[in-house]
Amino acid sequence: VKPVYYGHELMLPPIEKDSSADNRLKSTFKTTLSPILAAALETQVSNRAEVQRFFGKEKFAAIEQSLLRSPIQRMAGPAFTPCFMRNLIMCQTTFILTPVTYKLYFPQDQKNKTTLLWYGLGMNIFVGNAAAITQQTLWGRSLDYLAKHGQINYTNVIKEGLLSEGVGAFFTAPRWFSRVLMNCPAQGALPFIYNEVLPLGEATYLSFIKNCIYEPFLAEVENLEARRIEGGASSTLRISNRSSCSPAASDN
């Protein structure tokens, strides 16, 4: 399956190719699954620490001891789902939506490094963070609900928020702006860094890995395999020689 557009491919005109339904299905599955796995891994690593920072060490320890009894719950931390959805939205925006839409729909005569940087920032601000702030707010409200009720019911959290504050419970301009200030300078520039800066040293790095790690390892594996085969052949020859030198063989 062909990977998502990368590096210099973004600057080339889109080419329409007829592909089979099987290839389209595989590509869709891979493009959907990749950010899900990445977001799940990121959330698994970060959510527990973020919850601990939200409650404080002492309160979080008490919540963890009394409420999170399953080992999986302890590893994931509370309010895992909205944290995962926030990370999925940002990962999808940065590594899928931005390069694909830039490649396919951005005016060809205006494609360059500068427009890629600003396009990535714009997608981060007006698409990624505009959606992610709703999940960030849901995460915070879910933790407040947990502290009050001892468990999280996302349906009730959303209903209570909408009844008390309307849409403003999950999206307001100040919340969106504060998240943009925190997230956009780093993650908004990632499409530019990933497609324009990273390829600069990619060939050297891959060459180093090939020459210093992959080829020596492969050579060692081949040597071990050759020794194993040679050892097996020697054992077979010794057994054959013993058989030919036995008294029964001499009498015959």
Side-chain angles (χ1 to χ4, degrees), residues 92-110:
Q92 187 85 270
T93 302
T94 301
F95 296 106
I96 304 296
L97 290 180
T98 297
V100 169
T101 55
Y102 185 86
K103 165 77 173 181
L104 298 180
Y105 304 113
F106 201 83
Q108 185 62 34
D109 58 345
Q110 297 181 27

Side-chain angles (χ1 to χ4, degrees), residues 11 19 40 51 69 74 112 116 128 153 166 180 184 208-209 218 228 242:
M11 303 301 168
S19 58
V51 174
R69 298 176 181 176
R74 287 177 178 268
N112 55 58
L116 176 60
N153 185 313
V180 166
C184 182
F208 172 81
I209 295 297
L218 184 62
R228 186 185 67 80
R242 287 185 191 137

Side-chain angles (χ1 to χ4, degrees), residues 232-245:
S234 299
S235 299
T236 303
L237 181 61
R238 285 197 298 270
I239 293 172
S240 176
N241 289 337
R242 287 185 191 137
S243 299
S244 63
C245 295

Side-chain angles (χ1 to χ4, degrees), residues 29-41:
F29 178 74
K30 185 232 13 166
T31 304
T32 303
L33 185 62
S34 297
I36 290 176
L37 294 177
L41 178 61

Side-chain angles (χ1 to χ4, degrees), residues 68-86:
L68 306 180
R69 298 176 181 176
S70 165
I72 296 177
Q73 287 180 321
R74 287 177 178 268
M75 289 176 60
F80 182 89
T81 301
C83 186
F84 165 75
M85 289 302 300
R86 179 200 66 194

